[in-house]
Structures are given as structure tokens and as C-alpha cells.
Amino acid sequence: LGKNYGFEDFYVFGHSSGGISTKWLSVNLEGELKGAINSSVMTRSRGTDNLAYSVVGFDMGKIKIPVLNVSHKDDACLTTPYHTVKGYSNNNLVTVLGGGASGPLCEDTNHHSFEGRQRGVSRAIAKWIATGEVQAVVDSDD
């Protein structure tokens, strides 16, 4: 993309299980990435499938590039608890408040995927990419 289209800055974005990849890409491709956005990322495995086994207890200190973490305070998905992300996020956490919770806990119509707060979250991410400034709270869709 850089060579063919002239892009210079590359960020990785991972939501939920996609955060497994963003964590490892951030470590292994740090010289090629400008930053990483981890959105409701998995920090625990799901029962017997062990999907997130490689990031259980992952040392976020291994990541040397800028990271933005986004998590809903009331995310009830068992694999993406807010308190875990809050524990390892210093000043790089966007806490999402409110919104909807109409569907299954770990799906797109729930706090896990920021139902009713998607535009607000997108704006906070774009602001971080453009300025490096972390918006501490998203509590509306504006």
C-alpha cells in the first residue's frame, strides 16, 4: 500500500477477537506501524475453544508503538472485561458509557460493539489518529 499508493502511516485496528492480531502485529511489526487501536479486545479465552490463549496475560509492555484502547464500561462479554483493559491502560483508554444492549452480549447490538455509540467512538479514534489526544469518555453518538 505504501509503495503502490503512497500511504506512509499504517495503523492496525482489532475489535474483540481481532485484538489477538493487533496485539501480536504491534509487537512483531512495530517498525512498520504508526499505532494500534484495540477495541473491546479479548483478554480471556472462551471455554474450550481457547481462541485467545496467546493473549491471556499478554504483557502490554511489549508493545512499543502508540496504542489506543476502547472499551465499554458495561461490556458484559466474558472474554473482554472492562476492568482488565482499565488495569493495563494508562492514559490510553477511551471509556464508552451508555448506548444500547439489545442483542447477545458479545455481538454487534450490545455494549460490546458500542451500540448507539458507534459514531462517537469513531470520532474518538479519528481524533487520536490525527492528534494523538485520547478522549477519555464517549457518552454520546455525536
Side-chain angles (χ1 to χ4, degrees):
L1 289 172
K3 186 168 45 170
N4 292 336
Y5 298 102
F7 293 125
E8 295 179 15
D9 297 333
F10 292 91
Y11 292 81
V12 289
F13 176 94
H15 179 79
S16 197
S17 61
I20 299 166
S21 296
T22 58
K23 288 178 180 181
W24 287 111
L25 288 169
S26 296
V27 170
N28 293 307
L29 296 177
E30 71 178 64
E32 299 176 42
L33 298 173
K34 179 102 180 216
I37 298 103
N38 293 322
S39 167
S40 295
V41 297
M42 292 179 79
T43 57
R44 294 183 180 169
S45 283
R46 294 190 293 199
T48 59
D49 71 5
N50 289 323
L51 180 63
Y53 75 92
S54 72
V55 292
V56 173
F58 184 89
D59 179 6
M60 292 297 286
K62 290 180 181 181
I63 300 175
K64 304 303 179 201
I65 62 173
V67 175
L68 180 68
N69 297 295
V70 184
S71 185
H72 197 292
K73 189 172 182 184
D74 296 324
D75 186 349
C77 184
L78 297 177
T79 61
T80 60
Y82 173 78
H83 71 273
T84 301
V85 176
K86 184 173 169 73
Y88 65 68
S89 297
N90 296 317
N91 295 317
N92 64 347
L93 173 63
V94 175
T95 297
V96 182
L97 303 173
S102 63
L105 295 180
C106 301
E107 300 297 332
D108 61 340
T109 53
N110 208 296
H111 293 314
H112 178 71
S113 294
F114 318 122
E115 179 184 8
R117 297 291 185 259
Q118 295 96 331
R119 284 189 303 254
V121 168
S122 296
R123 285 185 178 97
I125 292 169
K127 178 180 183 179
W128 178 75
I129 290 171
T131 68
E133 183 180 335
V134 176
Q135 180 178 328
V137 174
V138 169
D139 59 1
S140 73
D141 211 21
D142 295 327

